[in-house]
Amino acid sequence: MRILLEKLIVNYPYFFAVILFVIGVLTVLTRSNLFKKLLGINIMESAVFILFIAAGNIRGGTDPILDTSKPEAVYINPLPSALMLTGIVVSVSVTAFALSLIIRLYREYGTADARQIAQMRNSALKAADQAGRDNYRHPDRSNGKRGDKNDRSNQI
Amino acid sequence: MGNGVTKMTEAIKFNLPVFVVIAPLFIAIVLPVFARRIRLAEGMVIFVGVLGLAGALFLAHIVLDRNSGTWIYQMGGWPAPWGIELTVGNLAASFLLVVMGVSLPVSLFAVGNLTHEVGGKQRTARFYTLFLLLVGALAGMALTNDIFNTYVLVEVATLSCCGLVSSRRHPRAAEAAFTYLMLATLGSALVLCGIGFIYTITGHLNMGFASQALNEIWQTKRHVVWMAMSLVFVGFAVKSALFPLHVWLPDAHSSAPSPASAILSGLAIKGYMICLLKFFYSVFGPGLIKEFAMDRLLVLAGMIAIIAGSVMAIPQDDLKRRLAFSTVGQAGYIFLGFGLMNKDGLAGALFYLASHAVIKSTLFLSAGAMISATKKRKISELAGVGRRMPVTMAAFTAASLGLIGIPLFSGFIGKWYLITGSIEAGSFLPTVVIIAGSVLCATYLFPVIRVAWFESAPKEPQKAAAQETGDAAVQRETAEVQEGPVQHGQLKDPGILQKLALVLLTVAIIVLGTVPGPLLELAKRAAAELLVLR
Amino acid sequence: MRDFILKRVAALILPFVCVYGFYVIFHGHISPGGSFAGGIIVGLSFIAFSTIYGIEKGRAKLSEDVLTWTESFGTLWYGIMGMVGIFKGVPFLANKLAGIDLGLPGELFSSGLISYIGLGVGIRVASTMITIFFTLMEDEE
């Protein structure tokens, strides 16, 4: 137990990264507001960045920039930071793209709440379906309801 | 002069692996400049497709000729632990062939057909940009031998997939794209975590070196390895729509434009499966898969996906949704094959992956042709389409027979190898599930064929009911199928290029089913290569 | 946005911000930062200009066509620089192998093709950032 606690304290960045990651995932999966989902994604990605950068860190190391006056210096590993720069670029593009989608949805439905959007869409679909059914009957059409149910379960 | 030409061909041959990846990427980036001259842009897309297919065929030829060993290309001339490597092995060559072979007909189908579906020349150019980015990323996934490079390519593919889904001006498409984006980013964050753990304990990003290091130290770092493995598995499972994590797929694939649905269902999820395969077999290795019981998990998840996906496809009345759910089911076969851990099963999975890529693109393209001709999305409203659009419906029928697994069509061979593999693995249940999956597949595809060929068309064309109810929201929902010029009574096959695309794909299905030779050989060799214990 | 002080201060500062962005791009190989960070700074100078002086003025400075061209050009530049290696008969993106003088470590011109590639990336990043900003702003209206 004591060893475990010691390990936890020594490796605290990993611990916090995991906590942040879980917060992010929880936000993405449980919030119905699209902006909050996006925030969750960003928190989650930051957690991964912290994880990587912590992996590259060396206690007492200096920045990985060549300094000829200090030949004995220990440099931290620059590779994870460089990798995370790529990760940040990806995260920026994801954020921008998601924002433009949210704006599109907001202009269309007047709300940025996933649940309300799904409700509006389903009721519209049902009305269209009903109208179509009145117009034209076909034996293969009896399964429409189950399709609707599937539809709703697709919302996260 | 002659010396210069030979020098140039030598240079092209030497750099072919990198050309196959960067040609689509760079052409994609240049395309927005030609947005006003959409014909030129389309010509460039097809040109790149033809070049890519030629390159892929040439690489496959080299790999088949060489018979052993892989061709390693070092980016920038840096050797392995520091530089990024592209490897042209059996697995890479076969998947590259699939990517290029499917993307060329899909781009042929898209040409000239897209402007009214997407809306505007600018948006069409953007569509092709995303399309080529996706193709380049998939080619990169096939070739790369670097873990982090895989992640970057996965992200490029994910973002372009989301862009393709949202390329239609329709709120439903934007919603589907948002859901897809969120879940796909979740998946890639999980994969990135897994990569982080692998890098932390091994210090390598090259697959070969990481594998070596992992197999030396895994006993001391048991939990970390297990965690990395699970993270990678769940991440790629979200992205390739393994059954309980498939929730984004039906919406995304059914609300994209038809060529996009074809390439999303046919190729994009396969790319993530290939990545999973590379991570599991080339990084962790067969020994670790067995140790952490991932093989049993893959088989179980595959079996559940086959049954659940197929059962969910049956009640769908929307044609594209039915096909999308069918993709969930068919993905199960490939995961099942990945988990069988023997040569036949793995070769079967790889061949089934190729055959499903071809078949599902054919299905989506012909469905798209039918939908854009009739302006109807429901299966029950497609009565009598077969007689009016014989080529389209013939392609659809051939692809359906292939998906069900009738002999002489490509799906049969994949299923055959999967069954022999599962018998070799000593478990009887996968065999039963594979056959049951075929029956279920017939259950959801035969009604379409019956309605389209054998039912007479309704007497009078239906007016859209939405306009009568006057509900704005309803109109918005139904407006989706009413876009473009509505021409009643002009039901006929699509244009010559579209027909050419469908015929090419149908020929591919039948050729793969009758003379599977080279591709099956590549798949078998790749399977043997992957299963080597390190 | 009719703020006198803001406009004057922006007019004084923004050119230097832009130049600083290019400084960061060119010193990417010997100091922290690099083409992505520098490109963001260049892009931010234009974004700040558009927010302070209004979207129309920003658009007048950089029209959509120009942005499309620079975006494509930035990436194409990367491709061309990568091709230098291929023309010399060595792999894609080769630097020292392609016979390019690398200079002394720590000096400005000490990385061969890397700084030229960085310029392309920086231009690309800057124009992408501006495009994203304009797209989002114009969607709102």
Side-chain angles (χ1 to χ4, degrees):
Chain A
M1 186 66 210
R2 204 166 139 255
I3 299 168
L4 205 72
L5 208 67
E6 227 165 60
K7 271 187 180 171
L8 199 74
I9 291 167
V10 170
N11 293 320
Y12 69 96
Y14 299 99
F15 181 64
F16 284 115
V18 169
I19 288 180
L20 263 186
F21 192 89
V22 172
I23 290 174
V25 173
L26 209 65
T27 318
V28 176
L29 295 182
T30 57
R31 298 287 151 160
S32 66
N33 190 317
L34 300 181
F35 281 110
K36 285 185 183 164
K37 275 181 197 281
L38 185 56
L39 280 180
I41 285 283
N42 275 308
I43 293 171
M44 196 175 75
E45 297 203 318
S46 315
V48 184
F49 302 157
I50 291 174
L51 186 85
F52 260 83
I53 290 167
N57 189 31
I58 295 169
R59 297 243 162 86
T62 56
D63 309 347
I65 295 166
L66 187 65
D67 191 351
T68 38
S69 64
K70 279 186 283 182
E72 298 289 299
V74 177
Y75 299 118
I76 65 163
N77 185 357
L79 186 67
S81 316
L83 299 180
M84 280 315 100
L85 198 60
T86 317
I88 290 168
V89 175
V90 169
S91 139
V92 165
S93 24
V94 167
T95 309
F97 184 49
L99 278 177
S100 77
L101 284 178
I102 292 173
I103 289 174
R104 236 167 94 183
L105 282 172
Y106 184 81
R107 277 199 314 202
E108 198 64 44
Y109 291 104
T111 171
D113 191 281
R115 227 166 270 158
Q116 283 177 23
I117 288 174
Q119 260 172 16
M120 286 162 80
R121 176 166 57 80
N122 276 341
S123 63
L125 270 184
K126 215 170 270 171
D129 211 40
Q130 194 59 47
R133 195 166 297 162
D134 291 345
N135 217 22
Y136 174 63
R137 276 185 184 283
H138 195 281
D140 273 5
R141 292 287 300 277
S142 53
N143 288 324
K145 244 185 196 153
R146 257 188 286 168
D148 279 351
K149 208 175 271 169
N150 258 330
D151 224 25
R152 210 167 301 129
S153 65
N154 287 332
Q155 293 310 311
I156 40 164
Chain B
M1 188 68 196
N3 191 23
V5 171
T6 44
K7 226 175 145 188
M8 217 173 95
T9 41
E10 273 300 306
I12 289 176
K13 202 178 150 192
F14 174 67
N15 292 302
L16 198 56
V18 78
F19 277 140
V20 173
V21 182
I22 61 167
L25 292 180
F26 282 115
I27 296 292
I29 300 300
V30 179
L31 272 187
V33 175
F34 299 107
R36 298 225 174 76
R37 294 194 205 157
I38 201 71
R39 290 274 154 216
L40 184 64
E42 285 173 345
M44 280 163 82
V45 172
I46 290 177
F47 182 65
V48 170
V50 172
L51 280 187
L53 184 57
L57 281 171
F58 188 68
L59 285 179
H61 174 73
I62 288 177
V63 169
L64 268 176
D65 243 20
R66 225 179 238 203
N67 204 6
S68 69
T70 47
W71 174 8
I72 292 174
Y73 183 91
Q74 293 163 345
M75 295 286 269
W78 290 95
W82 300 284
I84 291 173
E85 281 183 347
L86 301 181
T87 49
V88 190
N90 297 306
L91 177 68
S94 63
F95 186 60
L96 196 63
L97 204 58
V98 174
V99 170
M100 293 304 174
V102 172
S103 64
L104 177 63
V106 173
S107 58
L108 274 178
F109 187 90
V111 162
N113 191 31
L114 208 62
T115 318
H116 78 258
E117 200 170 359
V118 179
K121 280 183 181 176
Q122 203 86 37
R123 295 176 69 85
T124 315
R126 226 174 285 161
F127 178 92
Y128 286 123
T129 302
L130 294 168
F131 180 85
L132 284 185
L133 277 177
L134 179 57
V135 171
L138 288 168
M141 282 181 208
L143 290 172
T144 185
N145 196 28
D146 186 275
I147 299 174
F148 194 76
N149 208 345
T150 313
Y151 165 75
V152 174
L153 291 165
V154 162
E155 278 297 346
V156 172
T158 303
L159 278 172
S160 36
C161 282
C162 294
L164 285 175
V165 171
S166 76
S167 62
R168 194 187 238 167
R169 270 203 180 280
H170 191 262
R172 184 85 189 269
E175 202 192 331
F178 190 82
T179 313
Y180 182 18
L181 186 65
M182 288 297 114
L183 285 176
T185 317
L186 181 68
S188 39
L190 290 172
V191 171
L192 192 55
C193 261
I195 292 171
F197 286 126
I198 294 172
Y199 179 70
T200 313
I201 56 173
T202 65
H204 285 294
L205 287 171
N206 184 290
M207 286 188 184
F209 283 83
S211 171
Q212 225 174 0
L214 265 179
N215 281 295
E216 277 162 17
I217 57 158
W218 68 271
Q219 269 139 334
T220 51
K221 304 260 177 12
R222 225 184 134 80
H223 293 97
V224 183
V225 176
W226 195 358
M227 197 155 63
M229 215 163 181
S230 320
L231 285 169
V232 169
F233 174 60
V234 176
F236 281 123
V238 171
K239 281 169 162 292
S240 52
L242 188 59
F243 163 62
L245 308 169
H246 71 283
V247 286
W248 55 268
L249 185 134
D251 271 336
H253 286 196
S254 64
S255 56
S258 306
S261 316
I263 198 162
L264 287 177
S265 243
L267 288 181
I269 64 166
K270 309 294 190 305
Y272 306 133
M273 286 173 193
I274 289 290
C275 288
L276 181 69
L277 186 70
K278 277 188 159 182
F279 266 93
F280 268 23
Y281 284 86
S282 312
V283 179
F284 292 107
L288 285 184
I289 300 176
K290 280 232 172 78
E291 175 67 29
F292 294 111
M294 284 291 165
D295 53 338
R296 269 175 264 165
L297 186 64
L298 278 167
V299 171
L300 188 68
M303 288 196 296
I304 295 172
I306 293 172
I307 299 295
S310 308
V311 168
M312 280 188 302
I314 294 171
Q316 305 298 327
D317 197 23
D318 183 324
L319 180 54
K320 278 175 97 173
R321 265 186 98 74
R322 187 177 286 196
L323 293 179
F325 271 110
S326 145
T327 302
V328 177
Q330 301 296 318
Y333 284 101
I334 299 162
F335 278 107
L336 192 155
F338 286 174
L340 286 176
M341 300 284 290
N342 56 41
K343 204 181 149 192
D344 271 5
L346 209 51
L350 287 174
F351 191 82
Y352 199 80
L353 187 148
S355 107
H356 180 251
V358 180
I359 288 172
K360 199 38 78 64
S361 343
T362 319
L363 284 175
F364 264 114
L365 289 184
S366 46
M370 281 189 261
I371 287 168
S372 70
T374 58
K375 312 282 172 222
K376 305 225 170 58
R377 291 177 68 98
K378 302 254 163 118
I379 292 161
S380 46
E381 293 168 349
L382 290 174
V385 169
R387 265 167 258 166
R388 304 257 185 88
M389 308 172 72
V391 176
T392 313
M393 203 52 215
F396 190 90
T397 312
S400 310
L401 294 178
L403 199 63
I404 293 160
I406 309 283
L408 295 184
F409 293 95
S410 63
F412 172 72
I413 293 169
K415 278 184 184 166
W416 178 261
Y417 273 90
L418 283 175
I419 289 173
T420 50
S422 64
I423 289 169
E424 199 186 316
S427 49
F428 189 59
L429 199 57
T431 319
V432 177
V433 170
I434 290 169
I435 294 167
S438 285
V439 175
L440 286 169
C441 187
T443 319
Y444 62 74
L445 280 176
F446 277 151
V448 185
I449 298 171
R450 177 176 57 82
V451 168
W453 284 115
F454 302 118
E455 272 185 28
S456 53
K459 290 281 176 331
E460 53 188 301
Q462 275 104 53
K463 290 265 185 289
Q467 272 112 1
E468 290 158 28
T469 57
D471 185 343
V474 178
Q475 274 185 11
R476 208 167 42 221
E477 290 301 334
T478 49
E480 176 180 10
V481 287
Q482 313 261 326
E483 284 163 9
V486 181
Q487 295 160 332
H488 281 303
Q490 274 197 322
L491 261 182
K492 58 178 184 189
D493 274 326
I496 182 80
L497 278 177
Q498 279 84 338
K499 261 193 248 177
L500 179 67
L502 289 174
V503 168
L504 275 178
L505 284 168
T506 314
V507 168
I509 293 170
I510 293 169
V511 167
L512 283 182
T514 44
V515 262
L519 195 61
L520 192 61
E521 181 64 32
L522 276 178
K524 275 183 184 169
R525 281 193 207 164
E529 218 174 75
L530 290 172
L531 283 169
V532 173
L533 275 171
R534 267 176 285 261
Chain C
M1 295 285 178
R2 266 180 252 102
D3 198 322
F4 180 79
I5 299 174
L6 201 60
K7 277 186 179 174
R8 289 312 117 199
V9 171
L12 277 176
I13 288 177
L14 286 183
F16 293 101
V17 173
C18 195
V19 171
Y20 177 67
F22 279 103
Y23 169 85
V24 173
I25 291 175
F26 281 119
H27 288 71
H29 54 286
I30 46 171
S31 68
S35 40
F36 181 72
I40 294 265
I41 296 172
V42 174
L44 268 179
S45 67
F46 279 98
I47 291 172
F49 178 83
S50 314
T51 20
I52 291 166
Y53 283 87
I55 299 286
E56 294 78 27
K57 282 205 171 168
R59 268 279 184 224
K61 281 251 185 298
L62 280 173
S63 73
E64 206 174 334
D65 280 356
V66 173
L67 283 174
T68 315
W69 275 96
T70 47
E71 239 175 89
S72 298
F73 173 77
T75 320
L76 205 60
W77 180 250
Y78 190 110
I80 293 166
M81 286 294 124
M83 290 296 220
V84 168
I86 289 178
F87 284 125
K88 299 254 174 167
V90 281
F92 185 70
L93 278 178
N95 196 356
K96 195 184 174 187
L97 275 181
I100 288 152
D101 182 26
L102 290 193
L104 287 173
E107 286 182 357
L108 180 54
F109 294 103
S110 65
S111 61
L113 289 178
I114 299 289
S115 33
Y116 300 104
I117 286 177
L119 178 64
V121 176
I123 290 173
R124 163 86 201 188
V125 170
S127 48
T128 307
M129 282 298 140
I130 301 166
T131 312
I132 289 172
F133 170 75
F134 278 148
T135 315
L136 289 181
M137 288 306 282
E138 277 161 13
D139 266 1
E140 243 169 56
E141 286 158 13

